[in-house]
Amino acid sequence: MEFTLSEEQEMLRTMARDFLENECPKTHVREMMEDEVGFSRELWKKMADVGWLGLVFPEEYGGSGMNFRDLTILCEEMGRAVLPGPFLQTVLLVGMPILTAGTEEQKKEYLPKIASGDMVCTLAVLEEDGDFWPDGIQLKAIQRGNDYIINGTKLFVNNARGVDYILVAARTKRAVEPGDGITLFLVDMTEWGTYVSPLATMDQTRQQFEVMFNQVAVPSSNIIGELHKGWPVLKEAALKATAALCAEMVGGGEWVLETTVNYAKERIAFGVPIGSFQVIKHKCADMFSGLEYSRSLMEWAAESIKDDDRDAAMAVSMAKSYCGDTYKMVCDHGVQIHGGIGFTWDHDMHLYFKRARSSDTAFGDAFYHRELLAKAADQ
Amino acid sequence: MTSDNLEALRREVRDWLRANLPKGWGTPEYVPPTRYSRESHELGKEWTKKMYDAGYTGFNYPKEYGGIERPREEITVIHEEMARTGTPGGPLSLGLLVAAPAILVHGEEWQKKRFIPKILSGEESWCEGFSEPDAGSDLANVQTTAVRDGDDWIVNGQKVWTSMWEFADWGLLVAKTEPDAPRHRNLSYFLFDTTTPGFSRRPLRQMSGEAEFGEMFFDDMRVPHKNMMDEQGRGWYVAMTALMAERSFGGTGFTGGMAAMGGLGTSDLLGTNSLVELAKNTRRYGQSVWEESAFRQRIMQTAIEMEAMRWSGARLAAKMRKGGQIGNEASLLKNFQAEMRQRRGDLTCEILGAYSQMVRGSTRAIDEGDHVYNMLRARGATIEMGTSEINRNIIAERILGLPR
Ligand SMILES: Cc1cc2nc3c(=O)[nH]c(=O)nc-3n(C[C@H](O)[C@H](O)[C@H](O)COP(=O)(O)OP(=O)(O)OC[C@H]3O[C@@H](n4cnc5c(N)ncnc54)[C@H](O)[C@@H]3O)c2cc1C
Ligand SMILES: Cc1cc2nc3c(=O)[nH]c(=O)nc-3n(C[C@H](O)[C@H](O)[C@H](O)COP(=O)(O)OP(=O)(O)OC[C@H]3O[C@@H](n4cnc5c(N)ncnc54)[C@H](O)[C@@H]3O)c2cc1C
């Protein structure tokens, strides 16, 4: 593990930051918060044109064959820009399962379309209990001829409006082990019987939806991976998405720190900059420290995934829980140090504050990941 | 470096450890000496010399100053093998932590050649005389004076809180040489022999019971002019290098970074596995502590923080390999490790419940009372090497650029 960026990686970061500063300023984010779809297909296409959507796919499927650490550099920048849109979902939660578990035809058909920006996807796993685990998956798919008929409701589906496909985790078999008997279906959103309605949630930069499936027929050729064996595929994809989310959180946290430190240098109270008060300094120091240690864990997790290290799952759980806790703390201080202005809708601080909260709950919160680690130590 | 060669080295280190570790090491029969004792110091000296002679310590210094130059892969193998068995610590000395790094940067050629090799081999021990009764955080307020007399300087004054005072053959000393010069430019830095007439020292007992630190008195003590390090009046800057080295090595040291720097002891008592084992083996209110969610969460939080420290150390090492230097981030490492040591110490004692009160000497003490010792000793961790408050000021002002 190298822990320093190569020249190409530094360039990728600079390019990504410039691109997002131009294409995704806060005015764009706020526009999307009010938008029914919640992200821009136009911007999506531009992201595809600069090669982001196919970054980690092999060249034979229209990608550029770069590695996972490269991808997380983009994610850091996306977190910094609070970019709206299902990037992690499309590339890691749908694209990756197709790449690792899909048939050759599926890979040839879908991956180039994802890379070119013509196929936007999201993932539907969570249901009523709101937890990311196999036990929560109750939605059923029943075989009828060559099709499977899906019935049920998924919750907390990111950007379900405006995507072309949803990868749905459905129960296809009753099993003793909850992880057994789950199958992944790639559902075409133009299919009859899918009803998407918005969930009014706190973090509008990443809109979430309720998706109801009423007698939706999905051809068995749209099963990704083996029948009944979808959970392990999903788990592996979620591991990558979780690490990428950590990168987003670190990137977002760094924006909050920089913005807050700048404000503390400029805001005058009692005739001096508030940054000269020691309580403010020490809060800023704690924000910085938390982010540095978050970065260490995040980079370790990203490098472990890149290298297929056997500690990858542990690294990701550690990173997720630490980055989640830290991002929240950093935003707490960010709002507080801004005083009254930090509490307003107009100031951008709350976009990050809410992202921190929604990111913490995604793919298991800090508490859940610490318990996962403890379970690994049970043996 | 082929993997065959590395495997051969691994076997060599393994055999060497088997032949050289103290008798009974790793078995319940082995009773380590009290942490802060002459016995522990002598064991550390002897052990370091053996390792040095075998080429297993003394890395990261140039050959001409006694350094052992080896490829990085070999050093990793050596450290991995040492970590597997655990080893005794080094001598009770601030030589590796403070003196050698400061001499390497600021010393004259003869000073580097004379002093660094004997630090690496463990033969000579050092202490650091910075703090005084009225100069702690405000180090620039040093009142100890040194007055030039021919080829010598005559030193008068007092130092306090001097760690490893008892066993030091040599001392680092900051004294005022220009009483009229402005702050930060009035101090000079000396290397002094602790057998010099006019020098005396005595213990100060810490809340953890032992006298790891003490006080030093200078009564017309003569130090040859050639033992001044760097230029006259630049003592403050030398002290800052020493402190930064101390903070960063101390900051990574807790998880073996210190071992990486030179072969200080590693002990699994500090590892996560042993914390989990302790919780599993401790029964409270009829069940294993490990069953309790609140404890599981905190133990795993500790594990996460240990890894965060380890990988931050790795990031810093990567930066240094690329030619970077340790700067103010030393304050970051130092605070994190000190504060997590306190959390960890508290957690361990809370796991043990009533038994956490038993100190070394009680037959009922768990692990020789080491856990309660660690918890108590950790209170000093946020004070020594710059208090947590001072280090936060450094992060805020020098890294983040907030106004003074
Ligand atoms: C929900 C809400 C309702 C409000 N309602 C009213 C109302 O009805 N009427 C009204 O008049 N006002 C109201 N306020 C305004 C409120 O009183 C101010 O926001 C508050 O006094 C802080 O002032 P400020 O926003 O200018 O922040 P600043 O004074 O600029 O403070 C910014 C940061 O610097 C810190 N700081 C400032 N000085 C020091 C110091 N000496 N030492 C250490 N830290 C310092 C602050 O703690 C804060 O973290 C309301 C504010 C909120 C959030
Ligand atoms: C275990 C241990 C080992 C030590 N070993 C050595 C050694 O080997 N050699 C050596 O020279 N010294 C050593 N010291 C001394 C140590 O460096 C000092 O104790 C430390 O620098 C603090 O100085 P002080 O004790 O005078 O406290 P003070 O400086 O008086 O500080 C008292 C309190 O005020 C706070 N404070 C002071 N200034 C500020 C400020 N500007 N902003 C905010 N808060 C402030 C401090 O953080 C602290 O909480 C050791 C100390 C300990 C505990």
Side-chain angles (χ1 to χ4, degrees), chain A residues 5 9-21 24 26 52 69-84 87 244-255 258 295 298 352 355:
Chain A
L5 295 188
Q9 287 174 322
E10 293 285 3
M11 269 167 57
L12 184 67
R13 180 190 297 288
T14 313
M15 193 196 79
R17 186 163 301 182
D18 291 348
F19 178 91
L20 289 167
E21 272 169 11
C24 183
K26 293 295 176 329
W52 292 3
R69 177 71 185 109
D70 300 327
L71 185 83
T72 55
I73 292 171
L74 288 187
C75 294
E76 286 176 39
E77 294 305 317
M78 291 174 182
R80 185 184 177 86
V82 278
L83 173 78
F87 181 83
L245 187 62
C246 291
E248 256 198 45
M249 293 195 277
V250 171
E254 288 174 355
W255 182 93
E258 284 168 34
R295 174 170 286 285
M298 178 277 280
Y352 292 85
R355 261 290 172 92

Side-chain angles (χ1 to χ4, degrees), chain B residues 1 143 186 259 303 322 376:
Chain B
M1 192 55 41
Q143 299 301 322
N186 55 356
K322 273 202 156 180
L376 290 169

Side-chain angles (χ1 to χ4, degrees), chain A residues 278, chain B residues 128 130-131 136-137 161 163 213 377 383-384 387 389 393:
Chain A
Q278 213 168 56
Chain B
E128 168 192 70
F130 290 1
S131 305
S137 299
W161 328 127
S163 297
F213 62 29
R377 178 61 185 81
I383 300 168
E384 63 197 327
T387 66
E389 289 76 23
N393 290 349

